[in-house]
Amino acid sequence: MRFGKEFVSQMIPEWQEAYIDYAHLKTILQDIQASRKNSDSNSQNTPSFARNLTRRYNRDASVFENHDIVVNTVTRDEEEPETTTTTTTYETTFLKAGEEGGDFEVTFFRTLDREFNKVNNFYRLKVETARNEALALNKQMDALIAFRHKVMDEKKPSVFDSVSVDINGLASEAGSSSKAREHRVALADLMRNDDDTSKESILERIRMNKTREITPLSAIKTILKVHKQDELKFTRENLKEVEKRLQIAFIEFYQKLRHLKNYSFLNASAVSKIMKKYDKIAKRNAAKLYMEMVDRSYLSSSDEVHQHLLKVESIFIEHFSNSNRRQGMSLLRPKINKERHLITFSTGFFFGCGVSLIVALGLIIHARNIMGTLGQRTYMETMFPLYRFFGFVVLHMIMYAANIYFWRRYRVNYSFIFGFKQGTELGYRHVLLLSFGLGTLSLCAVLVNLDMEMDAETKDYRTFTELVPLFLLVLVIAIVLCPLNILYRSSRYVFLAVLFRCIAAPFYTVNLPDFFLADQLTSQVQALRSLEFYMCYYGFGDFRHRRRNTCTSNIGFTTFYFIVAVIPYWLRLLQCIRRIIEEKDLCHGYNAIKYLLTIIAACLRTAYTLNRGTTWNITAWVFSGVATFYGTYWDIVVDWGLLQRGCKNSFLRDKLLVPHKSVYYAAMVLNVLLRLVWLQTVLNLKFSFLHRETMVALLACLEIIRRGIWSFFRLENEHLNNVGRYRAFKTVPLPFNYEEDGDHNN
């Protein structure tokens, strides 16, 4: 791999603007190279006598000018409101600017200096931040040791008690006098008392930081202002909680240090590479002198990050892995997902099986003229709604896999945004494997259950074949809930945890994965209605006769048909209300209005579907139109960050990850068109060649596709916001709060 591509691939995505602009510097080198070619062609047209004089002059001048550049160190004092900071910058003077093409070389060094000073200052700032975090973690470790000593004091003898025993034993074995023994015992007691005193003084100055609500009960207590005490309680449960939180904090800090070390190495390597290219193209000897300056700079000369790394490793191994270096380093160092050929092969295998089953299904339907049989309508009203649930899930997973592929291609740090544990996030191949596997199972079930005629003797359908969709649903649920470490258990547990927080929306702090998944659920209303039909169809025994009379005539089913359409939007509304209370941001209130309008519009459209009438039609039109306009504006302007005024990209935004602007324009148009699929409901469009259930399924698929497109640009906008703030790491709350640090949490 060429260095330019490797350089970009190893960048921290959120810090990409803080790296050396290697591509721009290469562009300037191309200008220098073109200028050199023109200069060489001109020199060939010069008479030989003049060329000899020029060579002799250049040879004589080189005796006095051994260098092409001079690098100056400039120190400036910048006054701030409270302190004065000293900044160091480097300025390069090109000594041969008068030569032909020298202007390009002056521009090259001016740009290189600007880029290097940017990198050097950014690195210095981040190291200073890491230094402050290291001091905070040192204080946390002092508190942890004191806390651990207090908890264990009643269970185990003190370390200094054993020291006293050892000292007494050594004294007796040496035959020392009783005075010497008393002196040693007194010394050990003094050391123990001093240590106990220091630990007690630490414990007196700290309080436990309040954690965010992790249970509905604690959230209710917070709402009712029943605050739990933050005094120290020296219990083993609290000790485990403190150790867990500090372990996470040390792991996150270690990753920051590794990124900083990699940042320093990459940028120094980029400067070295570009200077070598410059010497080769311009036929100069400036790389050595410039790299000497780079080696003296803070970027290359400071070993503070390396020292912090060694100290973190030492503390972590000693206190969090029982002095087991292998175990400690396996926790500190990130796990890299290795692409396995088996995953690729299995994905292709299931894809081929799915395509074959679709072809076989079409041939069987055509050969047996199933679409023309009397049972076709019954099948579409009973079995098709059961199987289309799996189709919706498979399509959504395929869209998610496509998003992962393009997020990786355009370097959107989706694993950081979603908060996935490093090394456990699924790649697009893994998601495609799951989706194609589920699709293959579903198609096999459809083929087994394709018989549309009743048994001639019993006038009933075979119970086994009618239960196939239920067996498949139970199998999928069992796999999702399976506690065994198979089929990506960590990802399944993360999904279930986020899903539970969505269901219990008002009782949990809302994070991005929570409202992102809730937004996905709003596009799966028909899938939720299919689950409702599962309960009715099998619960009332209609599957024995393949009919849905009980479901359609049951008032409970009709009522729940309304509720199911509202549940996802209601959860998002509750999440917005929770965020308004916590963050005091009116923007979440405007977002809540969007979901409230959508709830009203969905209820009215459902009512119009079940009870045709002019009044229902007009009200459904009005509220659906308002909700569509509001939702479209929010998608494009707020969620995607597009249609910004005064930006360099017309009707878009200043920063775009996809190089083709037409993609954004097409996405906006598609979003508007796909949001208008509700028109089919109020216009009562009918097609003779399509069954009503087929039309519902097609419209639901269009909504899932719209949600997949929305997801890509939503996360792209979130990533660009992180890039603008250089936010590349999680903020980990620390367990202890020192009184001198104030009443706020660390």
Side-chain angles (χ1 to χ4, degrees):
M1 182 184 294
R2 300 179 64 180
F3 178 78
K5 293 183 179 180
E6 184 179 359
F7 181 64
V8 173
S9 66
Q10 294 190 22
M11 283 182 181
I12 301 170
E14 290 77 9
W15 289 0
Q16 58 188 3
E17 294 184 357
Y19 283 81
I20 292 284
D21 195 345
Y22 188 79
H24 181 54
L25 290 170
K26 282 184 65 177
T27 303
I28 301 176
L29 286 183
Q30 291 174 359
D31 295 336
I32 295 174
Q33 188 174 24
S35 176
R36 281 282 173 179
K37 289 181 179 179
N38 294 332
S39 176
D40 292 342
S41 62
N42 292 335
S43 65
Q44 290 178 0
N45 298 328
T46 305
S48 60
F49 177 74
R51 289 201 304 269
N52 292 334
L53 287 177
T54 303
R55 292 195 190 102
R56 180 177 180 183
Y57 172 78
N58 290 336
R59 185 172 61 251
D60 294 339
S62 65
V63 176
F64 302 99
E65 297 179 5
N66 295 323
H67 303 297
D68 298 314
I69 60 172
V70 174
V71 183
N72 301 311
T73 304
V74 181
T75 304
R76 297 185 179 90
D77 293 331
E78 297 181 359
E79 295 185 359
E80 296 182 358
E82 296 181 357
T83 59
T84 301
T85 58
T86 302
T87 60
T88 301
T89 58
Y90 300 95
E91 296 179 359
T92 303
T93 302
F94 181 60
L95 300 178
K96 299 181 180 180
E99 295 184 2
E100 187 174 356
D103 293 341
F104 292 108
E105 297 183 59
V106 170
T107 302
F108 171 79
F109 281 107
R110 188 182 298 121
T111 306
L112 181 60
D113 289 342
R114 183 179 66 249
E115 292 295 315
F116 182 77
N117 289 327
K118 174 189 71 176
V119 168
N120 195 47
N121 292 332
F122 181 83
Y123 182 73
R124 187 190 298 272
L125 178 64
K126 290 300 178 182
V127 171
E128 183 178 352
T129 304
R131 186 187 306 125
N132 295 332
E133 292 186 22
L135 292 174
L137 286 175
N138 282 335
K139 295 173 70 175
Q140 294 289 317
M141 282 304 303
D142 292 339
L144 172 63
I145 293 172
F147 193 96
R148 186 182 289 168
H149 177 81
K150 186 74 174 179
V151 172
M152 299 299 182
D153 191 45
E154 298 179 359
K155 302 295 181 181
K156 295 182 180 180
S158 174
V159 176
F160 289 103
D161 291 340
S162 61
V163 172
S164 176
V165 172
D166 292 339
I167 292 175
N168 290 332
L170 290 173
S172 61
E173 289 177 4
S176 60
S177 63
S178 59
K179 291 184 179 181
R181 186 165 58 252
E182 291 176 1
H183 176 71
R184 293 179 183 272
V185 172
L187 178 61
D189 290 338
L190 180 62
M191 294 171 62
R192 182 179 64 249
N193 292 334
D194 289 342
D195 184 71
D196 292 341
T197 302
S198 64
K199 288 180 171 59
E200 290 295 336
S201 65
I202 291 175
L203 295 176
E204 290 174 358
R205 293 185 291 115
I206 62 174
R207 291 290 182 270
M208 290 284 289
N209 276 332
K210 298 175 182 177
T211 57
R212 290 187 171 186
E213 300 85 33
I214 56 175
T215 62
L217 181 61
S218 60
I220 294 172
K221 288 182 178 180
T222 302
I223 295 173
L224 298 177
K225 297 183 178 180
V226 182
H227 297 295
K228 58 183 179 182
Q229 296 180 350
D230 57 353
E231 288 81 6
L232 289 178
K233 293 183 179 180
F234 302 102
T235 62
R236 289 185 176 272
E237 291 75 15
N238 282 347
L239 177 60
K240 289 181 180 179
E241 178 64 23
V242 168
E243 289 177 340
K244 180 180 178 181
R245 292 169 64 183
L246 263 184
Q247 180 178 350
I248 296 174
F250 268 96
I251 292 174
E252 190 67 22
F253 181 60
Y254 189 79
Q255 300 309 320
K256 293 180 185 179
L257 296 175
R258 283 172 59 90
H259 282 310
L260 271 176
K261 189 174 182 180
N262 184 60
Y263 175 84
S264 172
F265 173 76
L266 272 181
N267 283 285
S269 300
V271 175
S272 176
K273 288 285 185 181
I274 205 69
M275 285 304 301
K276 288 180 179 178
K277 287 181 178 293
Y278 167 77
D279 278 1
K280 182 178 180 181
I281 291 173
K283 299 177 182 178
R284 306 288 188 190
N285 190 25
K288 181 179 179 181
L289 188 60
Y290 200 90
M291 290 308 300
E292 288 177 357
M293 178 275 293
V294 173
D295 293 338
R296 293 192 307 269
S297 68
Y298 188 83
L299 181 71
S300 299
S301 63
S302 175
D303 66 339
E304 190 171 353
V305 171
H306 181 68
Q307 295 300 324
H308 284 318
L309 280 169
L310 295 178
K311 189 172 182 180
V312 169
E313 291 176 2
S314 175
I315 293 174
F316 193 88
I317 291 170
E318 180 181 356
H319 293 280
F320 298 104
S321 61
N322 297 322
S323 299
N324 187 331
R325 181 172 180 80
R326 177 177 295 180
Q327 178 184 352
M329 295 307 296
S330 65
L331 292 173
L332 285 173
R333 290 176 180 169
K335 301 176 179 63
I336 301 175
N337 276 335
K338 295 181 179 179
E339 296 291 345
R340 298 181 178 179
H341 297 297
L342 180 61
I343 298 295
T344 305
F345 171 79
S346 301
T347 303
F349 173 76
F350 282 118
F351 176 75
C353 290
V355 172
S356 302
L357 289 171
I358 291 174
V359 173
L361 185 63
L363 292 176
I364 292 174
I365 292 175
H366 177 73
R368 297 171 58 181
N369 193 25
I370 290 178
M371 298 303 294
T373 60
L374 297 176
Q376 181 264 346
R377 183 178 181 83
T378 304
Y379 185 91
M380 293 301 298
E381 292 179 352
T382 55
M383 304 308 296
F384 183 74
L386 300 177
Y387 283 117
R388 73 183 180 190
F389 168 80
F390 303 103
F392 296 151
V393 174
V394 169
L395 178 60
H396 213 134
M397 293 176 68
I398 292 174
M399 293 301 297
Y400 180 61
N403 282 331
I404 292 176
Y405 173 80
F406 287 108
W407 285 334
R408 285 190 173 183
R409 179 175 179 178
Y410 296 112
R411 296 184 56 75
V412 175
N413 197 355
Y414 72 96
S415 59
F416 169 72
I417 294 174
F418 287 140
F420 294 149
K421 186 178 179 181
Q422 200 162 18
T424 61
E425 69 275 9
L426 296 181
Y428 71 94
R429 289 187 178 90
H430 305 93
V431 180
L432 285 178
L433 172 62
L434 294 175
S435 60
F436 291 151
L438 178 59
T440 301
L441 283 176
S442 304
L443 289 170
C444 289
V446 171
L447 286 175
V448 171
N449 204 212
L450 196 60
D451 187 11
M452 295 185 181
E453 298 296 331
M454 291 188 299
D455 188 278
E457 298 179 0
T458 62
K459 302 299 182 182
D460 287 340
Y461 291 90
R462 286 179 292 180
T463 303
F464 174 76
T465 56
E466 295 301 297
L467 290 175
V468 168
L470 182 62
F471 290 153
L472 183 59
L473 180 64
V474 171
L475 176 62
V476 172
I477 295 175
I479 292 175
V480 173
L481 300 178
C482 179
L484 301 178
N485 191 14
I486 56 174
L487 292 176
Y488 315 115
R489 182 178 63 177
S490 61
S491 298
R492 289 189 283 110
Y493 278 16
V494 168
F495 170 76
L496 292 174
V498 175
L499 181 62
F500 178 75
R501 288 200 298 270
C502 289
I503 297 173
F507 303 112
Y508 286 87
T509 298
V510 181
N511 299 314
L512 188 142
D514 304 328
F515 66 75
F516 188 86
L517 179 59
D519 277 324
Q520 306 300 314
L521 293 178
T522 59
S523 297
Q524 287 286 8
V525 170
Q526 295 302 328
L528 296 178
R529 282 176 169 169
S530 294
L531 289 178
E532 178 198 9
F533 185 67
Y534 265 98
M535 292 185 288
C536 179
Y537 187 69
Y538 289 103
F540 290 107
D542 288 349
F543 69 96
R544 294 187 179 90
H545 306 285
R546 192 176 282 183
R547 65 185 180 186
R548 55 183 300 173
N549 295 337
T550 306
C551 294
T552 54
S553 61
N554 188 287
I555 189 172
F557 178 84
T558 306
T559 303
F560 203 68
Y561 196 77
F562 278 87
I563 297 175
V564 166
V566 169
I567 287 176
Y569 299 103
W570 176 252
L571 296 179
R572 280 297 287 125
L573 178 63
L574 294 178
Q575 287 180 338
C576 292
I577 294 173
R578 175 62 187 255
R579 297 188 74 181
I580 294 172
I581 297 173
E582 284 191 342
E583 303 176 19
K584 312 296 182 184
D585 189 353
L586 288 178
C587 181
H588 301 308
Y590 301 139
N591 198 16
I593 294 174
K594 179 187 73 172
Y595 291 106
L596 181 61
L597 289 172
T598 307
I599 288 173
I600 297 173
C603 290
L604 291 173
R605 289 200 299 268
T606 305
Y608 175 70
T609 303
L610 299 177
N611 306 292
R612 301 288 179 178
T614 306
T615 304
W616 290 116
N617 191 6
I618 294 174
T619 52
W621 260 103
V622 172
F623 279 94
S624 296
V626 174
T628 300
F629 176 79
Y630 200 116
T632 303
Y633 173 83
W634 196 273
D635 285 348
I636 296 175
V637 177
V638 180
D639 289 341
W640 295 358
L642 303 177
L643 294 180
Q644 293 183 1
R645 295 181 179 179
C647 64
K648 61 183 181 181
N649 301 309
S650 301
F651 302 108
L652 301 177
R653 55 172 124 82
D654 289 331
K655 297 178 181 178
L656 303 173
L657 294 184
V658 182
H660 307 290
K661 298 179 184 179
S662 58
V663 173
Y664 294 90
Y665 297 123
M668 288 191 288
V669 173
L670 274 175
N671 186 75
V672 174
L673 295 177
L674 294 178
R675 268 194 173 273
L676 295 176
V677 295
W678 56 267
L679 287 173
Q680 186 274 338
T681 304
V682 295
L683 293 178
N684 195 23
L685 298 177
K686 294 182 179 179
F687 301 93
S688 58
F689 57 91
L690 285 179
H691 191 274
R692 176 181 174 276
E693 295 296 335
T694 305
M695 176 64 72
V696 171
L698 289 176
L699 297 180
C701 290
L702 291 177
E703 170 59 21
I704 293 172
I705 293 172
R706 186 196 70 83
R707 181 60 63 183
I709 298 172
W710 174 89
S711 299
F712 173 81
F713 294 104
R714 175 65 183 88
L715 234 66
E716 181 206 25
N717 190 36
E718 184 71 20
H719 172 75
L720 290 175
N721 291 334
N722 290 338
V723 170
R725 299 192 299 266
Y726 298 105
R727 183 175 179 269
F729 307 102
K730 294 183 295 184
T731 301
V732 181
L734 299 177
F736 298 112
N737 182 27
Y738 281 77
E739 289 183 351
E740 58 265 27
D741 295 335
D743 295 332
H744 62 278
N745 293 347
N746 284 327

